[in-house]
Amino acid sequence: MPGITLTLSGYKDQKLTRECVHLATQITCNILKKNSFETMVIVRHVDNDDWFIDGKSLAEWGKNSFRLEVTVVDETCSKDQKTAYQKAIYNAMEQIIGNLHPQSNVHIIDCKAASYGYTGITQEYRYQHKDEFY
């Protein structure tokens, strides 16, 4: 179950938010080989005046930004998948949001299977009992 936290600069825009969520989910499922029905996305918005890079706000830079953090179970994604994911997410956000500051970023968080789960069941337990769940 990938958990995604997507932080977008600027004011809340429902159309932009839905587009970003759709693409983040799609790219996560396609490249990292995850299931969309298990993919959760939380979106946050931060005003450009409150987002700083090198001591200057995005408003001062005249740029937009995003930060996407995705939590996955350790050892379920290869280095090649992670590399492709980084590039695909950045390129997709550049197309949707535009005018990105180059410090916009993607953080892939590898979490131990025994430390991550949903419905009160760890991913390790699901793996050990996969016949019961799949």
Side-chain angles (χ1 to χ4, degrees):
M1 175 207 159
I4 299 171
T5 301
L6 177 59
T7 306
L8 302 171
S9 67
Y11 296 108
K12 200 173 202 179
D13 176 330
Q14 194 62 27
K15 183 178 180 224
L16 175 71
T17 299
R18 287 191 172 276
E19 212 172 329
C20 289
V21 167
H22 173 74
L23 278 175
T25 301
Q26 182 179 36
I27 292 167
T28 300
C29 294
N30 291 344
I31 294 178
L32 300 183
K33 306 299 182 204
K34 304 301 180 187
N35 297 316
S36 64
F37 63 90
E38 294 177 335
T39 302
M40 174 190 66
V41 182
I42 297 170
V43 180
R44 297 182 178 137
H45 296 272
V46 176
D47 191 281
N48 285 4
D49 288 324
D50 295 327
W51 191 310
F52 293 84
I53 299 170
D54 192 24
K56 290 172 49 179
S57 71
L58 286 175
E60 292 172 281
W61 284 107
K63 296 283 187 181
N64 299 312
S65 192
F66 78 94
R67 178 176 172 86
L68 184 142
E69 297 170 282
V70 59
T71 303
V72 296
V73 175
D74 191 25
E75 298 181 359
T76 62
C77 301
S78 70
K79 287 182 182 181
D80 289 340
Q81 286 174 305
K82 292 175 188 179
T83 298
Y85 184 75
Q86 293 267 346
K87 186 173 191 164
I89 290 288
Y90 189 91
N91 289 343
M93 294 301 155
E94 176 65 55
Q95 286 182 353
I96 297 169
I97 300 168
N99 192 31
L100 287 180
H101 190 284
Q103 296 306 319
S104 302
N105 62 77
V106 177
H107 182 193
I108 301 168
I109 304 163
D110 289 308
C111 189
K112 291 184 185 260
S115 301
Y116 191 56
Y118 59 99
T119 66
I121 301 170
T122 68
Q123 294 298 74
E124 179 65 25
Y125 184 90
R126 284 180 197 285
Y127 180 77
Q128 296 296 330
H129 299 90
K130 59 186 162 204
D131 292 339
E132 296 173 28
F133 292 99
Y134 303 107

